[in-house]
Amino acid sequence: MFLSKVFVVFAAIFATVEADTPANCTFEDVQGTWVFYVGENGHDNTLKCDSSFKVVTQVRVHLLFPDVALDDNYNRGFWTMIYNQGFEVVLNGKKYFAFSKYVGSGSKAVSYCDQTLPGWSHDADISRNWACYYGKKENSTQAPKISSAPLLSSSVYDRPYKLNKDFLATITEKQSSWFPTVYPEYETLTLRQLMSRAGGPKTFTSPPTKPIKADELMASAELPSAFDWRNVGGIDYVSPVRNQGQCGSCYAFSTMAMFEARSRIQSDHSTSYVLSTQDIVSCSEYSQGCEGGFPYLISKYANDFGLVEESCYPYIGEDTQCTESASCKRHYGFNDYHYVGGFYGACNEPLMRLELVQNGPFSVSFEVTSDFLHYKGGIYVNPGLKDKFNPFEITNHAVLVVGYGIDKESDMKYWIVKNSWGTSWGEAGYFRIRRGTNELSIESEAVAVSVPKDF
């Protein structure tokens, strides 16, 4: 079973968001002492949590920077921010997750980072004994934060995209490591649709990459100079490139592609699952359907509710009510999901390579710029340009890292990345991007999962 797609109490809010939730909270806002107000325990994962649940107990939690959670008896646990949207705590055998509180939508949203919306708690080792809860920071004097989300209500975003050949010429003039092309289908879309396709407007600066430790550097130095999961011993462990269409579901495609690849690796390629992204779009309470989401939370969804295959719930690329058949087989056992480095903000390039080679492809988020839309081939390096003719906002996009290498002619290091814009885009649906320089923040936020062999 799984949760219904939308809380009744939040229906009006989620119907109007422009990308993910409009909450905009930081480590500094969240760290400190919280009280979690918890409802009745013992429910299953069909539990709906709205503001009407009855509080039966309180849990006091100290969240220390960057990832330590303590109770009043100094029992130690873990916590992580989830981008700027909320946080998860694991303490004393329980998991707690909730989105940060906000009121309104888009550029008119107000964030209350010292409070959460109603969320869920359950046993940490297995998803049982569910309860509702909400959190409030103790003795907080934080002022509400006005949203920094880009204003997308302007009619300029509803006009059709028009090719700017001068912009493409400037891209080619400013750099020589990659080349752009014309994608005629763009001119059938509005700027708003293009931004949705690329993940939705960016509202928060990614965290800085974690300083590299000596042992991480030494371990990564033992790795091969190039590696690609599409050809390991002559075997391709990566599932086919797909096309998300105009739905902002990149987070679902990226995360499902990670599960698909890792299941192939764990099973010595005896499985070839293609997993349902529509299940994520329509049925997950941990995301906002075609309005966006985060790979960490979809990995959590897999742990809490399981995953179904594409054949059981095919992708239509639209926000719909969850109509998945009860006969769909759900796959479980994904109890280890984490940010590479341990917590949000702990990522760096050596850790990413170690994770890739040792465990398989993983999901990353990065900033899509207007020039990146036109990528056709080569090693992408940000030329620092903006197409003023088509005022495209920087967006957050999720993709799958499958390999890395070094260009023989230029000696430039790069990542090999699977996109979800179809095989006609880029290098047969893939792109390469400069490695080691955190290009477009691609080395700031990576999510990995463990997949059981009997998946």
Side-chain angles (χ1 to χ4, degrees), residues 227-232 235-242 256-265 269 271-274 356 360-362 400-403 416-419 430:
F227 191 86
D228 187 348
W229 279 106
R230 296 173 301 174
N231 184 3
V232 176
I235 299 175
D236 183 355
Y237 289 94
V238 182
S239 57
V241 171
R242 300 181 65 189
M256 293 305 97
M258 173 172 58
F259 280 100
E260 290 161 359
R262 291 193 170 205
S263 71
R264 286 162 166 76
I265 294 166
H269 215 289
T271 64
S272 57
Y273 295 118
V274 175
L356 181 75
F362 53 81
L400 186 77
V401 172
V402 304
I416 305 167
V417 189
K418 178 186 178 183
N419 204 350
Y430 288 80

Side-chain angles (χ1 to χ4, degrees), residues 188-231:
T188 68
L189 306 175
T190 65
L191 289 172
R192 193 184 304 274
Q193 288 173 321
L194 269 177
M195 285 188 279
S196 176
R197 181 176 184 260
K202 180 177 175 61
T203 61
F204 181 67
T205 302
S206 297
T209 54
K210 179 184 176 183
I212 301 170
K213 295 180 180 179
D215 59 340
E216 296 169 352
L217 196 59
M218 290 178 59
S220 65
E222 300 296 320
L223 298 174
S225 60
F227 191 86
D228 187 348
W229 279 106
R230 296 173 301 174
N231 184 3

Side-chain angles (χ1 to χ4, degrees), residues 36-37 60 88 144 168 218 236 242 336 368 409 429 443 446 448:
F36 292 167
Y37 298 87
R60 198 161 177 260
E88 183 173 47
L168 268 65
M218 290 178 59
D236 183 355
R242 300 181 65 189
D336 178 17
V368 172
E409 294 185 4
E443 292 161 1

Side-chain angles (χ1 to χ4, degrees), residues 109-165:
V110 178
S111 300
Y112 296 85
C113 299
D114 56 355
Q115 303 174 52
T116 74
L117 296 175
W120 308 264
S121 73
H122 58 74
D123 290 353
D125 58 344
I126 190 170
S127 296
R128 63 187 178 190
N129 292 324
W130 285 64
C132 299
Y133 87 101
Y134 66 89
K136 285 188 176 182
K137 203 171 181 182
E138 192 171 73
N139 301 321
S140 174
T141 58
Q142 285 184 20
K145 298 174 67 174
I146 305 300
S147 174
S148 60
L151 179 62
L152 294 185
S153 59
S154 172
S155 61
V156 68
Y157 295 106
D158 291 317
R159 75 186 189 191
Y161 171 91
K162 295 293 184 183
L163 176 65
N164 184 352
K165 292 184 179 179

Side-chain angles (χ1 to χ4, degrees), residues 206-373:
S206 297
T209 54
K210 179 184 176 183
I212 301 170
K213 295 180 180 179
D215 59 340
E216 296 169 352
L217 196 59
M218 290 178 59
S220 65
E222 300 296 320
L223 298 174
S225 60
F227 191 86
D228 187 348
W229 279 106
R230 296 173 301 174
N231 184 3
V232 176
I235 299 175
D236 183 355
Y237 289 94
V238 182
S239 57
V241 171
R242 300 181 65 189
N243 193 336
Q244 70 186 72
Q246 309 330 315
C247 173
S249 53
C250 57
Y251 66 96
F253 279 86
S254 171
T255 314
M256 293 305 97
M258 173 172 58
F259 280 100
E260 290 161 359
R262 291 193 170 205
S263 71
R264 286 162 166 76
I265 294 166
Q266 284 295 315
S267 68
D268 293 328
H269 215 289
S270 64
T271 64
S272 57
Y273 295 118
V274 175
L275 297 168
S276 173
T277 49
Q278 193 64 45
D279 171 65
I280 306 302
V281 170
S282 295
C283 303
S284 171
E285 286 284 11
Y286 297 164
S287 61
Q288 289 74 53
C290 285
E291 300 294 341
F294 293 93
Y296 182 93
L297 289 181
I298 302 311
S299 300
K300 175 177 173 59
Y301 174 82
N303 175 70
D304 291 350
F305 302 100
L307 301 173
V308 300
E309 296 176 42
E310 172 71 12
S311 58
C312 194
Y313 201 0
Y315 185 68
I316 60 173
E318 297 177 4
D319 277 317
T320 63
Q321 291 294 316
C322 183
T323 58
E324 182 181 298
S325 170
S327 64
C328 286
K329 178 183 177 181
R330 301 193 75 83
H331 298 277
Y332 292 92
F334 317 109
N335 57 1
D336 178 17
Y337 54 92
H338 58 274
Y339 285 109
V340 172
F343 58 90
Y344 178 70
C347 192
N348 61 41
E349 187 267 350
L351 287 177
M352 290 169 67
R353 284 193 291 123
L354 285 165
E355 176 67 36
L356 181 75
V357 174
Q358 293 172 358
N359 300 311
F362 53 81
S363 177
V364 293
S365 298
F366 74 109
E367 303 169 358
V368 172
T369 53
S370 53
D371 59 280
F372 181 84
L373 294 174

